[in-house]
Every structure is written in C-alpha cells, then in structure tokens.
Amino acid sequence: MAMETYASRNIDKIHTDVLSHSRQACYKARDAFFACLEKESDKKPTEIGSVGLQYPAECKKSRVEFEKNCRPAWHFDRLYCRDKTAQRLLEDKEIRRGLPQPYIFKPTSSS
C-alpha cells in the first residue's frame, strides 16, 4: 500500500542524480576528494565531514564538489573511514599481534 502511494505521487519525477552522467560526476568528485585526502595526509585535519571524517582545509574545495555531486545515502565517507581503519590495523604490528594469523604448516622431523 505504501509503495503504491509513493509511486502515484512521484510518477513523473525523474531523479537525475542517479542517472549515468550524474553518477560519473559523483565518482570523479569522490576520487578527487579522496586523492586530496591522501596527498594532504600529513597536514592537520581542521574540517569535519560526515561520520567523523576529518580533512584538512586544503581539501575543502574538492569536498564541496563531492557533497554537491554525491548523495549522502551512498555512504562513501563511511566506506573510506572503514577501509582506512582496517588498513591501519593491518599495518600496525603491535595491534596485529592479537588478530588471527594465517596458519603455517611446519612439518616436524621424525627420527
């Protein structure tokens, strides 16, 4: 019932932000912003994005483009933060010690 109501209200509306050319613009803006984050990673983050993502002021222009072209529901910030956290955990030898390690079979010599 709710779906019928929604469909009847928006029957003529085209959501242009999900069309192919709009998605391509979003991906381009996203890649430019994340490239800026990587390039400026040594600088102190002063700006705050969504889900606690912090970024340096040098990336503000690319962030504005990113927010203008991409839907928040696509969760790119959340995915970026998750991937960076996982990468940091895997690279830190002290933290990695507690993570499951791959099993290495070492045959014992039989006498």
Side-chain angles (χ1 to χ4, degrees), residues 21-99:
H21 66 277
S22 297
R23 286 194 316 270
Q24 293 303 321
C26 169
Y27 299 151
K28 186 177 177 183
R30 175 200 62 187
D31 293 344
F33 174 63
F34 290 154
C36 181
L37 285 179
E38 296 297 323
K39 186 177 111 185
E40 306 292 344
S41 64
D42 59 328
K43 298 195 174 148
K44 182 176 170 101
T46 58
E47 308 296 322
I48 299 175
S50 64
V51 297
L53 175 68
Q54 297 180 339
Y55 58 95
E58 290 80 7
C59 298
K60 194 166 190 149
K61 181 180 176 187
S62 59
R63 177 67 187 190
V64 168
E65 282 298 308
F66 171 66
E67 288 176 348
K68 183 176 87 175
N69 289 306
C70 297
R71 284 181 158 195
W74 288 344
H75 303 294
F76 290 128
D77 286 344
R78 186 178 310 277
L79 296 172
Y80 180 82
C81 290
R82 184 200 64 199
D83 292 346
K84 284 299 179 184
T85 301
Q87 181 182 6
R88 190 171 51 248
L89 287 173
L90 291 173
E91 289 175 354
D92 189 351
K93 301 267 189 247
E94 288 298 312
I95 294 175
R96 191 170 186 203
R97 192 171 23 164
L99 296 175

